[in-house]
Amino acid sequence: MAHNLHELAAATGLELVGDGSLSVQRPAEPAAAGPDDLALAMSPSYEAALSATKARAGVVWADADWRALGLQAALLAPRPRVALAHLTKAFSHPTGVDPGVHPTAIIAPTAKVGVGAAVGPFVVVGERAVIGNNATISSHVSIGADAEIGDRALILQGVRVGARCRIGHDFIAQPNAVIGADGFSFEPPERGNVDAARQTGAVEDAQATAQFLRIHSLAAVEIGDDVEVGASSTIDRGTISATRIGDGTKIDNQVQIGHNVQIGQTCLICAQVGIAGSTVLGDRVVLGGKAGVADHVKIGSDVVCAASTMVANNIPARSVMMGIPAAPRHQAAEQIIALKRLPKTLKQVAEIRRKLGL
């Protein structure tokens, strides 16, 4: 889709210099950009590539000499990734789902589909479910009975939304996300291996677990506004009260969020994170990729956990944590350094023992 530079400046809030009437078809890397492309060169490291480009317009760093670089117009980007967010939105591809209900979709008679909504092929919508205005439901999505989805939602292929789930406005679910599956909650009729291991640190044969009783999840999932859930991520419904995700939170691919978890506003949950049941996260928490959080843990607001951090205990607000088990960043770094020094230290100790005849 073509845009002129005036339109892009208005859409992105970037400062426009040069000929704003120039039209561009797509953003491109400077080295590959043609006359109708918008060269993305938001760092001085792209100067050489930009000088050789065939593009007439580009997005450049704030103090770039765009004329000397051969451009006829430019958008100035003091914060490259913020600029990239606005630009990619302006050039985003259509969903391919036409407004209205596709003839192969199965919509329960008591369900409600909002004005301007688009429901794609082979979608199934349960009894009394509500789909908001201007929502887009891509192919092969299922929405359970009594579920509610807000306005302008974008639910992509193969997503499953369980019964009674409540989802806010401007929600995005990437392919194959599952929202509202039953929680992983089981209990043996008699005192079992897990109880013994917790209490005594040992497992006795007499306490071997013979079976598990399922604790059913009677509640659902409640998701706020402007939330995104990544591909193949799962959010289990609560046992008695709902699992909740706050406004503005972004969840990456292949994330597991257990039953009864409460996640605050504007959190960032990166790929392959696992959060066990009944854990509470405050606002603006960041969990790096493959971080793990044990059950019934409380993490305060503004906590940042590095990738692969294993959280087993409560974390106070505004902490920066890393390591296994999680420790304050400076402490974890000291432990890593000490561990690297350990082989040399052991050799030194062995030499001292040898000299002493021990």
Side-chain angles (χ1 to χ4, degrees), residues 42-43 59 61 77-87:
M42 293 176 275
S43 164
V59 185
W61 59 100
R79 296 190 62 195
R81 290 186 62 81
V82 173
L84 191 62
H86 292 302
L87 284 165

Side-chain angles (χ1 to χ4, degrees), residues 98-155:
D98 295 328
V101 177
H102 193 275
T104 63
I106 300 174
I107 311 294
T110 56
K112 296 180 180 179
V113 178
V115 176
V119 179
F122 305 106
V123 169
V124 177
V125 180
E127 296 288 350
R128 299 171 300 281
V130 176
I131 297 173
N133 298 332
N134 300 307
T136 298
I137 313 297
S138 298
S139 66
H140 298 89
V141 169
S142 65
I143 299 172
D146 299 298
E148 294 183 8
I149 296 172
D151 298 343
R152 300 174 299 279
L154 174 59
I155 300 183

Side-chain angles (χ1 to χ4, degrees), residues 6-353:
H6 282 304
E7 293 170 343
L8 290 177
T12 62
L14 300 177
E15 180 182 352
L16 169 65
V17 291
D19 184 2
S21 66
L22 282 177
S23 180
V24 291
Q25 294 287 335
R26 67 193 68 80
E29 295 286 342
D36 295 327
D37 294 333
L38 180 68
L40 299 183
M42 293 176 275
S43 164
S45 63
Y46 289 102
E47 184 171 359
L50 190 59
S51 298
T53 189
K54 297 178 181 178
R56 298 175 297 161
V59 185
V60 299
W61 59 100
D63 57 351
D65 188 346
W66 56 278
R67 289 189 182 89
L69 294 169
L71 299 176
Q72 299 176 31
L75 297 168
L76 305 183
R79 296 190 62 195
R81 290 186 62 81
V82 173
L84 191 62
H86 292 302
L87 284 165
T88 52
K89 181 179 180 180
F91 284 99
S92 60
H93 300 292
T95 62
V97 182
D98 295 328
V101 177
H102 193 275
T104 63
I106 300 174
I107 311 294
T110 56
K112 296 180 180 179
V113 178
V115 176
V119 179
F122 305 106
V123 169
V124 177
V125 180
E127 296 288 350
R128 299 171 300 281
V130 176
I131 297 173
N133 298 332
N134 300 307
T136 298
I137 313 297
S138 298
S139 66
H140 298 89
V141 169
S142 65
I143 299 172
D146 299 298
E148 294 183 8
I149 296 172
D151 298 343
R152 300 174 299 279
L154 174 59
I155 300 183
L156 295 173
Q157 295 84 353
V159 170
R160 306 291 185 239
V161 178
R164 305 180 305 282
C165 292
R166 302 286 186 269
I167 296 175
H169 303 309
D170 301 298
F171 174 70
I172 297 175
Q174 300 294 339
N176 296 320
V178 177
I179 298 162
D182 203 47
F184 188 76
S185 190
F186 299 89
E187 186 69 20
E190 306 295 336
R191 181 174 177 269
N193 294 346
V194 173
D195 291 324
R198 285 176 173 172
Q199 294 173 12
T200 68
V203 176
E204 302 172 11
D205 291 340
Q207 295 169 325
T209 300
Q211 64 173 320
F212 291 102
L213 301 176
R214 168 181 289 277
I215 299 175
H216 293 266
S217 298
L218 303 182
V221 176
E222 296 179 359
I223 296 178
D225 296 338
D226 192 31
V227 172
E228 181 162 348
V229 177
S232 299
S233 287
T234 57
I235 305 175
D236 292 344
R237 62 182 183 268
T239 306
I240 302 300
S241 59
T243 302
R244 294 185 176 89
I245 313 294
D247 294 348
T249 286
K250 311 299 181 186
I251 298 169
D252 198 1
N253 300 338
Q254 298 180 334
V255 170
Q256 157 66 11
I257 297 175
H259 59 283
N260 305 331
V261 169
Q262 310 289 302
I263 296 179
Q265 298 183 9
T266 327
C267 294
L268 198 64
I269 313 298
C270 299
Q272 298 184 14
V273 164
I275 303 176
S278 300
T279 286
V280 178
L281 275 64
D283 299 332
R284 300 172 300 279
V285 172
V286 176
L287 298 181
K290 293 189 176 181
V293 185
D295 59 292
H296 295 84
V297 165
K298 293 184 179 180
I299 298 178
S301 295
D302 301 295
V303 166
V304 175
C305 292
S308 297
T309 299
M310 295 291 109
V311 179
N313 297 296
N314 296 344
I315 298 177
R318 296 179 295 280
S319 299
V320 179
M321 310 293 286
M322 62 184 292
I324 304 173
R329 184 178 180 276
H330 68 279
Q331 180 179 329
E334 289 174 354
Q335 293 171 352
I336 292 170
I337 293 170
L339 189 61
K340 287 183 177 180
R341 291 173 176 168
L342 185 58
K344 181 179 179 181
T345 301
L346 290 175
K347 288 181 180 180
Q348 291 172 337
V349 171
E351 180 63 18
I352 293 171
R353 289 175 60 87

